[in-house]
Amino acid sequence: LISPPSGWARRALRVPVSITYFHQGQDPNAQRARQMLTLLGRHNALLSVRAVDPEKQPSLAETAGVRINNAALIEAEGRRLVVQGTDELEFAIGIQRVLRERRVTLCFIEGHNEYAIDNEEYHTHLDSAVGHDHDDSSALVIETRGHGVGRWRRTLEGLGYDIEPLPLPTVAAIPAHCSVVIDAGPRTTWLPGESAALRAYLEQGGAALLLHDLGFVLEPGLQQLAAALGAVPTQAVVIDTVSHYGTDAEMVAVTGYDPHPITNKVSYTFFPGARPLALTTPAPGIAVTPLISSSPASTVKAVAALAQRTPAPPAAAGRAVATAAAPQLLAIASEGTLTRDGKPLRAVLVGDADFLSNSFYPYMSNGDLALGLIRWLAREEALTPVAPRVPVPALVLLTEPQLQALYGLVVIALPLLATGLGVFVWWRRR
């Protein structure tokens, strides 16, 4: 059986694309892939598909420079790419990569103990007396070299993005070839020159994703820049007693999004230990869109700021703050110009970085949100949203209301229904 023509083949093509699939004749998966590609070619006049068995036509494979079985040679406008496999998703990603007309370089800022991009791709922590969690109490003990964003980085590389570290303290200016600058979970305060470098980069039409987690202290220049973009993070943690993951009210769950190119394909996400953003009056040329908010039942609790260049003392714990329940803003998207003569920029500020770490990136829609952020910042939001598969254990993650509803159904409603039916049958047979 083969699947029907995929949506990406009908929507994504704007120029002619040719695929030559060198398949292993005896492999049933390769045969299915060949039939699927052939069917796609019949339903799109811009997609030309040719199937070749290298064992029967070895000269064609040698001429094309393909020396592996089950490989698709994808060509468009003089660009070519070889994708090995039998997965429809990999072919879709290959077409997007070969259609990309420019290099997109994602520069990950380093130098402030950000989440590592080259770490092992699994969940690891430094446990201590505060336990094994992701809320405010663990902010000082997470081992960031292990608790990194390797899974996210690998997915971005699979989509054809170039990944570069950006040691911001050692450069005078952010390189112009950086399509998007990412600061994922810094823990030590920036230097004034670094904030000035980011502002200059954005004034020239750059794009930035600032993921500032609990306790991080913004350098005054960086705080002024954030205010000009429309919001500044507060030294607090969001507590949502209604919509959260599991039993931890500080792992805020978001189950609905307003329409935006970043969130069009996003449903349920969760943010472990998120800080709220306070809206400000942005620069005159900046338009701000609130992107993510917690439920109306949310409150906040003040947290201790991390010391600027040394670990904060253990006694610096958050204290409760009486606040009225209200939705808390967790992220904004900004675009426009910072100066009259500046170029159009794009920026996203998020009060959490943990949601795209190895621990949580593959689950629910966290990965879709993380990739949606990059696509919008790289000005590729018109692309069909596809991403490489990330193998993870099968899990079912529910919010607290969903757990309560499931408990009521399984433990209370179903037994009562069975008892009621039994009583009814007994009464009818009397």
Side-chain angles (χ1 to χ4, degrees):
L1 295 177
I2 57 176
S3 55
S6 299
W8 58 261
R10 295 193 302 269
R11 296 190 303 267
L13 302 188
R14 298 293 182 269
V15 298
V17 175
S18 68
I19 300 179
T20 306
Y21 189 52
F22 298 89
H23 62 92
Q24 189 176 16
Q26 304 304 317
D27 186 344
N29 292 325
Q31 290 297 325
R32 189 201 70 84
R34 177 184 63 80
Q35 294 172 15
M36 182 268 296
L37 287 172
T38 302
L39 185 60
L40 292 176
R42 292 173 183 169
H43 285 79
N44 194 317
L46 294 176
L47 181 62
S48 171
V49 177
R50 180 185 185 188
V52 175
D53 187 340
E55 295 180 359
K56 297 179 180 179
Q57 298 173 288
S59 60
L60 292 178
E62 184 177 352
T63 301
V66 177
R67 297 178 174 82
I68 52 179
N69 288 326
N70 300 339
L73 174 61
I74 306 174
E75 300 176 279
E77 297 185 319
R79 298 180 293 274
R80 49 188 284 157
L81 177 72
V82 175
V83 175
Q84 184 181 21
T86 59
D87 189 348
E88 171 191 1
L89 188 60
E90 296 299 327
F91 300 144
I93 293 171
I95 289 177
Q96 284 195 353
R97 292 180 61 178
V98 81
L99 290 177
R100 184 174 288 138
E101 299 177 352
R102 62 189 177 97
R103 292 185 61 181
V104 178
T105 303
L106 309 180
C107 296
F108 282 78
I109 292 177
E110 294 182 345
H112 318 92
N113 204 14
E114 283 89 356
Y115 282 167
I117 63 174
D118 57 354
N119 70 315
E120 300 86 356
E121 298 178 23
Y122 53 82
H123 181 174
T124 177
H125 272 244
L126 176 64
D127 292 293
S128 74
V130 300
H132 183 102
D133 53 29
H134 301 267
D135 54 19
D136 174 48
S137 61
S138 67
L140 301 177
V141 298
I142 293 177
E143 185 183 15
T144 56
R145 291 303 299 175
H147 190 68
V149 292
R151 279 174 165 166
W152 187 34
R153 182 216 72 235
R154 179 161 62 91
T155 303
L156 294 171
E157 289 176 334
L159 291 172
Y161 295 118
D162 294 336
I163 307 297
E164 285 188 11
L166 176 60
L168 195 57
T170 65
V171 300
I174 294 177
H177 70 266
C178 289
S179 307
V180 181
V181 169
I182 303 168
D183 194 29
R187 302 178 61 74
T188 56
T189 302
W190 291 23
L191 297 172
E194 299 172 276
S195 302
L198 179 61
R199 176 181 281 272
Y201 165 78
L202 291 176
E203 288 176 352
Q204 294 303 310
L209 174 57
L210 304 179
L211 306 159
H212 292 160
D213 224 326
L214 293 175
F216 172 65
V217 178
L218 276 69
E219 186 271 332
L222 182 59
Q223 184 159 344
Q224 293 172 7
L225 175 59
L229 293 173
V232 294
T234 62
Q235 290 296 351
V237 61
V238 178
I239 300 174
D240 195 330
T241 57
V242 171
S243 184
H244 55 265
Y245 163 60
T247 59
D248 189 349
E250 291 188 16
M251 297 186 73
V252 178
V254 179
T255 57
Y257 287 88
D258 292 330
H260 189 276
I262 293 176
T263 57
N264 280 343
K265 301 298 181 180
V266 178
S267 53
Y268 170 32
T269 56
F270 57 97
F271 302 86
R275 66 195 298 183
L277 304 182
L279 286 173
T280 61
T281 302
I286 297 294
V288 180
T289 303
L291 203 59
I292 304 171
S293 296
S294 59
S295 80
S298 303
T299 57
V300 300
K301 180 182 72 175
V303 300
L306 298 176
Q308 291 197 356
R309 300 237 170 231
T310 59
R319 57 183 177 84
V321 174
T323 58
Q328 303 297 325
L329 184 62
L330 305 182
I332 65 166
S334 305
E335 55 185 329
T337 57
L338 282 173
T339 62
R340 179 176 299 179
D341 300 326
K343 298 179 180 178
L345 65 87
R346 286 187 174 183
V348 174
L349 281 62
V350 186
D352 182 51
D354 220 7
F355 77 97
L356 47 68
S357 68
N358 293 336
S359 305
F360 305 108
Y361 169 76
Y363 300 112
M364 307 310 288
S365 292
N366 282 16
D368 294 332
L369 176 59
L371 296 181
L373 291 168
I374 295 300
R375 287 192 179 96
W376 184 76
L377 289 169
R379 293 173 169 82
E380 292 188 337
E381 65 270 22
L383 295 180
T384 304
V386 293
R389 307 184 198 277
V390 179
V392 295
L395 292 178
V396 177
L397 304 178
L398 302 176
T399 64
E400 184 70 13
Q402 291 170 334
L403 288 172
Q404 293 175 355
L406 184 62
Y407 177 86
L409 175 64
V410 175
V411 179
I412 300 176
L414 289 181
L416 287 176
L417 178 61
T419 302
L421 288 174
V423 171
F424 176 74
V425 172
W426 171 81
W427 181 77
R428 288 290 301 270
R429 292 181 177 180
R430 289 182 57 189

